[in-house]
């Protein structure tokens, strides 16, 4: 079965500095991968998704992620953090182990703090 | 704007009580899901439904039941609530098709079982 591991439970950066949130995946199939963001007291919003069309995926709010098959990684980056980026971020893989089930498997989340 | 709504948004109940959480959507999606979120554990799938006559157990279905009353409505029930069911519950929807279709999430229901 597919799984994802988010390597950091908390990341703290200063406003204006780069953001790196790390995610490794385990999959016996060609995976579909997603990053979702959850702002405090809000639902989840899709940031970006990888669907094998291109290894570098651009998302909303200046975020991007690069799919690296050799490293089984899908790290999320942003060149310059903004205070509004403070949130919890989830790396997600689509579990196709049952053929078309399309269930999502979530990582445990990384809480991003942005300091002024 | 098309949306996924959940009621109630917050609920406090006592051990042993029956409780129902409701989800409605105006997106016209066939597929609906219930997740629970616990701190440090991410989201875990409770039940999912691909259409009105198709209900499937997820990763953690014990202690829960669901009802798909219509394409737009998917309810989650706790027949006899227990304290370790205290969590944030999310409903989500998606279009059928390939696995790269995103899921759209409601705002969540915060449930506390005393």
């Amino acid at each position: 079965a597919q799984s994802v591991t988010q390597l950091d439970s908390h990341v703290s950066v200063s406003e204006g500095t780069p953001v790196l949130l790390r995610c490794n995946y385990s999959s016996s199939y060609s995976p579909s991968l997603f990053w979702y963001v959850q702002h405090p007291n809000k639902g989840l919003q899709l940031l970006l998704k990888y669907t094998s069309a291109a290894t570098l995926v651009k998302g909303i709010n200046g975020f991007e992620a690069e799919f690296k098959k050799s490293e089984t990684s899908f790290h999320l980056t942003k060149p310059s953090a903004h205070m509004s980026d403070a949130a919890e971020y989830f790396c997600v893989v689509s579990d196709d182990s049952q053929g078309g089930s399309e269930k999502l498997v979530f990582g445990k989340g990384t809480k991003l703090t942005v300091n002024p | 704007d098309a949306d996924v709504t959940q009621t109630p948004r917050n609920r406090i109940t006592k051990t042993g009580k029956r409780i129902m959480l409701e989800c409605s959507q105006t997106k016209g999606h066939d597929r609906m899901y219930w997740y629970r979120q616990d701190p440090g554990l991410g989201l875990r799938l409770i039940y999912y439904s691909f259409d009105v006559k198709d209900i499937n157990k997820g990763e953690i279905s014990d202690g829960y039941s669901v009802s798909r009353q219509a394409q737009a409505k998917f309810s989650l029930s706790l027949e006899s609530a227990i304290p370790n069911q205290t969590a944030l519950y999310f409903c989500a929807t998606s279009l059928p098709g390939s696995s790269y279709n995103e899921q759209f999430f409601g705002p969540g229901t915060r449930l506390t079982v005393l």
Side-chain angles (χ1 to χ4, degrees):
Chain A
Q2 275 83 322
S3 66
V4 289
T5 301
Q6 292 184 243
L7 299 172
D8 306 291
S9 58
H10 290 87
V11 170
S12 182
V13 301
S14 298
E15 191 175 19
T17 64
V19 175
L20 170 64
L21 305 183
R22 299 181 295 165
C23 173
N24 287 348
Y25 70 90
S26 172
S27 174
S28 55
Y29 301 84
S30 179
S32 297
L33 292 158
F34 309 79
W35 278 97
Y36 279 82
V37 61
Q38 183 182 25
H39 287 93
N41 300 312
K42 300 284 188 182
L44 281 82
Q45 180 185 20
L46 182 69
L47 270 181
L48 50 81
K49 60 185 177 185
Y50 166 74
T51 60
S52 76
T55 57
L56 183 62
V57 182
K58 294 188 183 298
I60 61 172
N61 301 331
F63 284 93
E64 62 182 36
E66 186 171 7
F67 174 73
K68 292 187 177 180
K69 187 174 182 179
S70 60
E71 299 175 11
T72 61
S73 69
F74 190 57
H75 301 334
L76 181 70
T77 61
K78 183 174 180 177
S80 176
H82 190 273
M83 295 297 291
S84 62
D85 295 328
E88 190 158 21
Y89 293 79
F90 294 95
C91 183
V92 184
V93 65
S94 180
D95 180 0
D96 284 338
S97 58
Q98 296 181 27
S101 68
E102 300 174 24
K103 294 183 289 183
L104 297 183
V105 177
F106 283 75
K108 295 183 177 182
T110 298
K111 189 161 290 186
L112 176 65
T113 300
V114 182
N115 302 305
Chain B
D1 189 21
D3 215 344
V4 182
T5 57
Q6 293 183 234
T7 55
R9 294 292 312 277
N10 287 282
R11 180 73 182 267
I12 300 174
T13 191
K14 294 183 179 180
T15 297
K17 293 291 188 181
R18 183 179 188 276
I19 184 168
M20 178 181 289
L21 309 183
E22 298 187 345
C23 177
S24 295
Q25 53 110 349
T26 56
K27 290 188 170 291
H29 291 173
D30 288 326
R31 302 188 170 195
M32 298 187 74
Y33 310 79
W34 275 106
Y35 294 89
R36 66 175 279 175
Q37 182 181 19
D38 299 278
L41 294 180
L43 274 73
R44 293 178 292 167
L45 183 64
I46 305 172
Y47 270 95
Y48 61 103
S49 169
F50 282 175
D51 64 43
V52 174
K53 296 182 180 180
D54 180 69
I55 304 289
N56 302 281
K57 292 183 177 181
E59 180 185 352
I60 52 164
S61 59
D62 287 349
Y64 301 95
S65 62
V66 291
S67 173
R68 186 82 183 266
Q69 301 95 323
Q71 187 209 35
K73 296 184 183 297
F74 192 37
S75 300
L76 176 71
S77 293
L78 288 67
E79 296 300 325
S80 179
I82 56 177
N84 77 359
Q85 292 178 311
T86 294
L88 187 56
Y89 290 84
F90 286 102
C91 174
T93 73
S94 71
L95 286 167
S98 62
S99 60
Y100 52 77
N101 284 322
E102 74 176 277
Q103 291 184 14
F104 295 83
F105 286 81
T109 294
R110 188 168 296 279
L111 176 66
T112 302
V113 183
L114 301 177

